[in-house]
Amino acid sequence: MKVNGIEYNLVMTSANDFEHLSLECTNEQGLLLEAELVSYTDRKAKIHFHKSPLPYELIEAFIHKVKQELKYGSNKRGS
């Protein structure tokens, strides 16, 4: 994912401190944002900020990706 000319990596993981899948946003500085995907059915997530401050545009783009993941799951458009 590219935001303001900076490349960020999105990684889906189950190897985390939570009992749910997580969507992680990383770059060369490490883990920046993490969304604990609590319920696909109810479309609920807990967002964890691991670094701050972060650009608003990054936070907004990450939340958009979380919403897409909760809505489409493994049935993503174009897959």
Side-chain angles (χ1 to χ4, degrees):
M1 168 175 80
K2 197 172 214 175
V3 177
N4 293 336
I6 300 170
E7 192 66 39
Y8 298 92
N9 301 307
L10 293 176
V11 178
M12 182 67 71
T13 182
S14 61
N16 55 40
D17 296 334
F18 311 113
E19 63 184 63
H20 306 98
L21 288 174
S22 288
L23 182 63
E24 298 178 347
C25 177
T26 65
N27 69 3
E28 69 277 350
Q29 297 177 11
L31 181 60
L32 304 174
L33 293 161
E34 184 174 17
E36 182 183 351
L37 305 173
V38 175
S39 174
Y40 278 81
T41 305
D42 298 328
R43 295 185 183 162
K44 291 184 179 180
K46 293 180 185 176
I47 306 294
H48 304 274
F49 291 78
H50 292 276
K51 303 272 188 210
S52 66
L54 294 171
Y56 173 77
E57 295 85 1
L58 173 60
I59 297 166
E60 189 174 54
F62 181 70
I63 290 174
H64 176 74
K65 293 291 187 180
V66 170
K67 287 168 62 176
Q68 283 185 317
E69 175 60 31
L70 290 173
K71 186 172 183 179
Y72 298 110
S74 61
N75 298 319
K76 296 210 178 29
R77 286 179 262 162
S79 299

